Amino acid sequence: MADVREGTTIRRRLLLTLAVFGALAAAALLLAPLVGSAPIRLRRVFDRSLPFADNPDAQIFFIARLPRVLAGALVGSALAASGVVLQALLRNPLATPFTLGVSAGAALGAMLVITFPVHVALGGLPAVPLASFAGSLGAVAIVYALATARRGGVSTNVLLLAGVTLNAFFSALILFVQYLADYSQTFRAVRWLMGDLDVAGYLPIAAALPLVLAAFAAFAYLPRALNLLALGADLAASRGIDVRRTQRLAFFSASLATGAAVSLGGPIGFIGIVVPHLVRLIVGADHRLVLPASALFGAAFLIACDVGARSLLAPMELPVGILTAMIGGPFFLWLLIRRS
Amino acid sequence: MTTVIVGLLAACGGQPARQPAPPKTPQRIVSLVPAVTEMLYAIGAGPRMVGASSFDTYPPEVRALPKVGGLIDPDLERIISLRPDLVVISATHAELGVQLRSAGLATFPYALGDLANVTHTIRILGTVTGLDREAASVIAGLESRFEAVRDRVKGRPKVRTLLVFSRQPGSLRGVYVSGGTGFLHDLLELAGGENVFAGVRREAVQATTEAIISAAPDAIVELRTGPAPASGEIERERRSWDALPAVPAVRTGRIFVLVGDELVVPGVRVADTAERIAGVLHPDGFVR
């Protein structure tokens, strides 16, 4: 009887959460393409009588703005949701999507092709995003192999330590590669590390979308298990959770989402930690609410930051990673002080 | 302790020197700045060079010199061990300058600037090295070539141009263009172009896609440095711009990729760059 009542309560709260955060994300998606440095007229944007090639308003809308907004939504939601999953998996509120070395692996991949240019293009995708995604997969494989080497299951402590160590090790390799680069390559490499959503087309988004959707499909199975896992692996096991399977699913899906997001937009910081904590302040700790709300809020937050990135210094770009960190950093510190 | 700063500014009569010029003309020169290295060779100070930066490749003789690091990693020990009597450093090397001067070495701080700064620097180098006549003739040579370019584009309509010097290969991401200051901007304007980002008073601007579309340049000139492109790569890179069909340069195909490390070095080869840019923007004015 109590379970039934709890079931209806959570369903009602879930609907309310989805409605509020969904409205926020939808508003960001709809309003952001209307804002920018160049004045455009919506009537001209959707004027079908003009050929697309002769319509700068439509091109600014559909090539310069809409892809950025969509990329921001995809990257923001992937990073925020991965943050939630990893914080629960590692039982560590300071975990971020970048804690386990995925982004460092991605960065190393990107640095390598920026410094030693190779011409590989897979279905029109340039080498840098491909290499960064390959790098993230490599990092995931290494961390997972380390975490499972000692005993059968995933040791979250080893996972955490392996991730942190791998991050440091990859950072050294990244610096070494940069040191070998000439100044213009170093410049491009440093710029990549600041994050950038100016993708100027839909192909990179289309490439990242299935990966993020696959990760989100896996996330859909996780919230209940994460709730129990957050209380401890033994307790979760006693309540009928297949702990190993859950940990594996959480680790791989969060890594996949992070790898796809980083290869699309670069390692954009703070979203994966600020958004989940802010959302928990509003909806509580239940992952059935936190996970979807964080995905939606992450999308809205990054879209909003990117509007700033492309407008504040226009016609110059302000790297979006700088903006998220400048907003996210102080906010997170405030959160820390407030809680302690 | 002898602390000497070359009277860089005094030599041009612009601003007062902080310290007197070195007593005798330098005979052992180390240069950490590729642009200045090639100027020194051009005015005939090449035989006095005893060390160069790790990025120096021109003129070819410079490759035989000991390497002393670059902008971010100058090797102080190696510089001192070469016993130079003049070290050319970047003006941003404040700390290195202090270290060198405390070791009793004279420094020549070089600041990146506009096109006029190129001839200006050559003139000062002539004074410092005692090779004034040679410097004057190098300057006269550059100026007559600039004048020839100006003559050829005179009366022709300025071509509204986007001057790109860096972007992520194979895509239109991280597009860095010349703003309205610096020698690249000056070279573009000299070559009969009108910089579409002249309004941004910076040398380097990461232009948003939105800004590029609304700037609507009639020509795009890309300066490409680094390893020589593979066959077909230039064409592939030109095609990257097809993503922005509203840009007039894309529709008319006036996208020009110029290849060469010298394109971004404000040294004695700037006249080549001016001629090459003018040649693509105003092809009928140039029979090459």
Side-chain angles (χ1 to χ4, degrees):
Chain A
M1 196 61 200
D3 262 10
V4 174
R5 199 173 313 130
E6 203 249 9
T8 30
T9 319
I10 188 72
R11 208 163 299 141
R12 198 173 305 140
R13 288 185 59 202
L14 180 61
L15 281 177
L16 181 67
T17 308
L18 286 180
V20 171
F21 285 93
L24 196 65
L29 271 170
L30 288 175
L31 294 178
L34 308 180
V35 187
S37 56
I40 59 171
R41 280 184 311 248
L42 269 189
R43 194 178 304 159
R44 266 179 70 93
V45 168
F46 296 104
D47 185 354
R48 289 293 188 82
S49 65
L50 244 86
F52 184 67
D54 296 328
N55 190 342
D57 291 41
Q59 291 195 18
I60 287 175
F61 188 87
F62 287 110
I63 297 174
R65 291 186 191 170
L66 200 54
R68 293 187 73 140
V69 172
L70 296 175
L74 198 61
V75 171
S77 60
L79 291 178
S82 304
V84 172
V85 170
L86 288 171
Q87 283 147 21
L89 171 68
L90 299 172
R91 299 183 62 197
N92 188 329
L94 291 178
T96 76
F98 305 158
T99 302
L100 294 185
V102 179
S103 66
L108 181 61
M111 298 302 109
L112 280 171
V113 284
I114 288 172
T115 309
F116 308 104
V118 281
H119 191 83
V120 274
L122 198 71
L125 276 179
V128 172
L130 289 174
S132 64
F133 188 65
S136 67
L137 292 184
V140 171
I142 293 172
V143 170
Y144 186 73
L146 290 171
T148 50
R150 288 211 310 196
R151 54 195 178 105
V154 182
S155 157
T156 49
N157 270 340
V158 178
L159 202 59
L160 190 59
L161 287 173
V164 169
T165 311
L166 203 66
N167 260 327
F169 179 68
F170 277 165
S171 301
L173 289 181
I174 288 167
L175 288 178
F176 181 61
V177 172
Q178 285 193 0
Y179 192 74
L180 297 178
D182 73 31
Y183 65 91
S184 65
Q185 292 163 339
T186 308
F187 188 67
R188 274 215 294 276
V190 170
R191 180 62 191 86
W192 186 88
L193 291 172
M194 296 178 193
D196 181 14
L197 293 170
D198 196 0
V199 292
Y202 297 92
L203 185 67
I205 301 170
L209 185 65
L211 303 170
V212 174
L213 286 181
F216 275 36
F219 288 170
Y221 287 98
L222 288 174
R224 259 182 59 80
L226 290 182
N227 280 345
L228 293 168
L229 213 53
L231 301 170
D234 294 341
L235 185 79
S238 74
R239 295 287 295 268
I241 300 290
D242 183 342
V243 172
R244 263 200 231 173
R245 200 173 146 266
T246 305
Q247 286 174 331
R248 253 201 317 263
L249 190 64
F251 172 69
F252 283 116
S253 54
S255 301
L256 181 67
T258 305
V262 172
S263 43
L264 178 59
I268 300 172
F270 276 99
I271 302 227
I273 189 158
V274 168
V275 170
H277 285 290
L278 185 68
V279 167
R280 279 191 200 99
L281 277 183
I282 300 168
V283 305
D286 189 336
H287 287 92
R288 287 172 290 186
L289 303 176
V290 174
L291 198 52
S294 295
L296 292 167
F297 188 61
F301 179 68
L302 189 53
I303 290 171
C305 285
D306 192 54
V307 169
R310 61 188 159 88
S311 326
L312 287 179
L313 298 183
M316 222 163 86
E317 176 92 23
L318 170 63
V320 70
I322 293 178
L323 213 55
T324 57
M326 285 200 314
I327 297 170
F331 172 76
F332 190 68
L333 288 177
W334 173 76
L335 214 64
L336 269 182
I337 293 163
R338 224 191 69 125
R339 284 188 136 184
S340 59
Chain B
M1 188 176 75
T2 50
T3 309
V4 184
I5 299 179
V6 172
L8 165 63
L9 295 165
C12 66
Q15 287 159 43
R18 282 172 298 187
Q19 304 213 10
K24 57 182 170 44
T25 58
Q27 298 301 316
R28 296 180 63 81
I29 305 173
V30 167
S31 168
L32 277 164
V33 182
V36 176
T37 305
E38 61 180 60
M39 292 173 187
L40 285 167
Y41 274 93
I43 63 173
R48 304 190 206 164
M49 292 282 294
V50 294
S53 88
S54 307
F55 295 111
D56 271 296
T57 56
Y58 185 87
E61 303 94 282
V62 80
R63 293 173 190 268
L65 292 179
K67 302 280 178 238
V68 296
L71 189 66
I72 52 171
D73 57 344
D75 187 339
L76 182 65
E77 256 180 54
R78 194 176 288 186
I79 295 172
I80 293 174
S81 74
L82 292 169
R83 293 179 292 107
D85 48 14
L86 180 67
V87 184
V88 178
I89 60 173
S90 163
T92 56
H93 272 153
E95 202 178 311
L96 179 71
V98 171
Q99 288 169 328
L100 288 170
R101 287 189 290 274
S102 69
L105 301 177
T107 60
F108 182 103
Y110 166 80
L112 191 68
D114 55 8
L115 189 56
N117 189 50
V118 173
T119 45
H120 173 73
T121 306
I122 295 172
R123 186 171 299 117
I124 300 170
L125 285 172
T127 310
V128 169
T129 56
L131 298 163
D132 307 76
R133 289 232 310 271
E134 292 81 349
S137 97
V138 170
I139 292 167
L142 281 177
E143 276 172 353
S144 78
R145 286 175 70 190
F146 291 154
E147 206 43 52
V149 172
R150 258 185 221 111
D151 275 351
R152 282 169 151 172
V153 301
K154 192 157 48 183
R156 293 168 193 278
K158 298 254 181 213
V159 183
R160 299 186 69 256
T161 304
L162 181 73
L163 186 59
V164 178
F165 57 84
S166 173
R167 69 176 159 94
Q168 202 185 88
S171 70
L172 292 187
R173 302 190 63 176
V175 180
Y176 277 84
V177 304
S178 167
T181 62
F183 76 102
L184 289 175
H185 166 80
D186 293 343
L187 284 172
L188 174 60
E189 304 260 309
L190 173 75
E194 180 193 328
N195 186 354
V196 291
F197 280 100
V200 185
R201 305 304 293 168
R202 289 173 53 96
E203 286 180 13
V205 179
Q206 188 195 358
T208 59
T209 307
E210 181 163 347
I212 294 172
I213 296 174
S214 50
D218 291 316
I220 296 171
V221 175
E222 289 205 57
L223 306 181
R224 193 184 154 121
T225 59
S231 73
E233 201 182 328
I234 297 285
E235 190 47 37
R236 272 198 300 272
E237 290 301 338
R238 287 183 73 239
R239 300 230 70 95
S240 298
W241 292 96
D242 289 352
L244 307 181
V247 172
V250 177
R251 309 177 67 180
T252 56
R254 294 180 79 186
I255 300 166
F256 309 102
V257 181
L258 306 180
V259 180
D261 284 340
E262 73 278 10
L263 294 166
V264 296
V265 178
V268 292
R269 293 172 290 174
V270 285
D272 297 340
T273 309
E275 286 162 7
R276 287 174 72 185
I277 295 175
V280 295
L281 293 182
H282 299 282
D284 46 342
F286 285 77
V287 184
R288 291 178 67 92

